[in-house]
Amino acid sequence: MNQQRFHELHGRQWQEFEQWLDCMTSKRRTDAHPPPFGESDLPHRYRTLCQHLALARDRQYSPALVERLDRLVIRAHQFMYGSHPEAGPAVLRFFTADFARTVRAHRHVVALAFLLFFGPLFLLGALTRADADIAHMIMPVEQIAAYERMYDPRPETTGRAASIDAYMFGHYIWNNIRIGFQTFAGGLLLGLGSVFFLTTNGVIIGTTAGYLIGSGRGPNFLSFVCGHSAFELTGIVLMGAGGLMLGAALLFPGRSTRVAALRANARAAVPLVCGAGASERQHLVAQR
């Protein structure tokens, strides 16, 4: 196929693509000049444009045509994968409005995740504070001894070296990131994984807190965790809510297939996961 015939067949598509990019990147976009096609057509048209560029290069068409197609592909790629002027306001809008709206929209599953996590936490915290032997039934002796040394209230041990604080900080960061990932991904096991990690970690955290407070180590323990526990525990609950949504899609897909329901719920859970990640990020900023 010669270049003229190639241009006659596809030139209109290139022109429409240029018009679409001009329209989408223009700050003065109005309803009087709508884009020539919808955003849902963009992936197909972009793939077709890349194919046209490859053909033009392979058939050694004129440098002007190759350059035009190459420039058009670059513009489209930057639009889809590069930074956009709307990114900043969109991020701000997410944290000031969209995130809270998403939590309210899924308040039932968030409330369930809250109960599964904080129910065992408060229950075991109260029981272990009243009876320290419960801690030995749940946690290994070595772990309890490590916590006792870590938060020992004796004057000669209250001052910890900076290296120890840094180690504890890193340990808690890694541990909570791991818990959050497990809690969310566990939803793929029909939601049972999310239920397991929420309740199990609630039991462990509550037992640890109750034992340390009941044994007189409460001031040291609370002074260390109060600065970041709110962000971390909130993140675990939100991750758990996202995992429960994945499990609900597999158990109750409705009229959709399980794959379609899983995709829909996973897409809906993304804001919760992003909010949980922001909680961990805020925790890092607070610690600095």
Side-chain angles (χ1 to χ4, degrees):
M1 181 184 301
N2 58 36
Q3 179 175 323
Q4 181 178 357
R5 180 58 178 165
F6 186 75
H7 189 280
E8 291 175 355
L9 288 176
H10 308 297
R12 182 176 179 81
Q13 298 180 41
W14 308 335
Q15 184 178 5
E16 289 179 350
F17 211 121
E18 290 175 338
Q19 293 174 354
W20 188 89
L21 287 172
D22 292 340
C23 182
M24 298 303 292
T25 56
S26 175
K27 296 182 179 179
R28 295 176 296 178
R29 183 173 40 177
T30 62
D31 294 336
H33 299 86
F37 57 87
E39 291 191 20
S40 60
D41 295 333
L42 178 60
H44 172 71
R45 286 179 175 260
Y46 178 71
R47 289 192 298 268
T48 303
L49 181 65
C50 292
Q51 182 183 14
H52 291 168
L53 174 60
L55 289 174
R57 286 175 173 172
D58 183 66
R59 296 171 181 174
Q60 299 182 355
Y61 290 152
S62 68
L65 177 60
V66 173
E67 182 181 355
R68 177 189 178 187
L69 295 176
D70 186 62
R71 186 170 57 250
L72 198 53
V73 168
I74 292 174
R75 285 188 62 191
H77 185 275
Q78 290 178 342
F79 178 83
M80 292 188 294
Y81 302 106
S83 60
H84 300 283
E86 300 86 356
V91 172
L92 180 63
R93 184 171 60 252
F94 172 78
F95 287 110
T96 57
D98 295 345
F99 174 62
R101 190 178 297 114
T102 301
V103 173
R104 288 195 298 270
H106 302 288
R107 58 186 177 276
H108 300 298
V109 69
V110 173
L112 178 58
F114 179 92
L115 291 176
L116 289 171
F117 180 68
F118 281 102
L121 189 153
F122 289 128
L123 177 61
L124 267 296
L127 294 176
T128 308
R129 183 178 180 183
D131 184 2
D133 290 338
I134 295 178
H136 293 274
M137 300 171 58
I138 296 176
M139 296 188 298
V141 176
E142 296 80 6
Q143 187 174 0
I144 295 176
Y147 284 137
E148 289 176 343
R149 291 191 302 270
M150 196 178 296
Y151 300 104
D152 198 315
R154 290 177 297 176
E156 61 270 21
T157 59
T158 52
R160 292 190 299 265
S163 59
I164 296 178
D165 279 342
Y167 169 78
M168 293 169 60
F169 172 70
H171 169 75
Y172 282 121
I173 289 292
W174 162 250
N175 186 59
N176 285 288
I177 291 175
R178 176 179 57 84
I179 292 173
F181 177 78
Q182 290 174 336
T183 305
F184 176 69
L188 294 174
L189 300 176
L190 302 180
L192 297 178
S194 297
V195 173
F196 172 80
F197 287 114
L198 283 170
T199 55
T200 300
N201 285 284
V203 167
I204 294 174
I205 295 173
T207 300
T208 302
Y211 179 83
L212 294 174
I213 294 173
S215 61
R217 297 172 174 82
N220 283 354
F221 171 72
L222 294 176
S223 65
F224 180 77
V225 302
C226 67
H228 52 80
S229 59
F231 301 112
E232 295 173 352
L233 301 185
T234 300
I236 292 175
V237 170
L238 293 175
M239 285 287 196
L244 293 175
M245 291 174 64
L246 299 183
L250 296 174
L251 289 173
F252 312 106
R255 301 193 176 203
S256 303
T257 64
R258 282 185 168 80
V259 173
L262 182 62
R263 287 177 178 172
N265 277 21
R267 192 178 300 111
V270 165
L272 297 178
V273 176
C274 291
S279 297
E280 289 293 338
R281 172 61 181 170
Q282 182 61 34
H283 162 223
L284 290 172
V285 174
Q287 290 300 308
R288 292 176 183 174

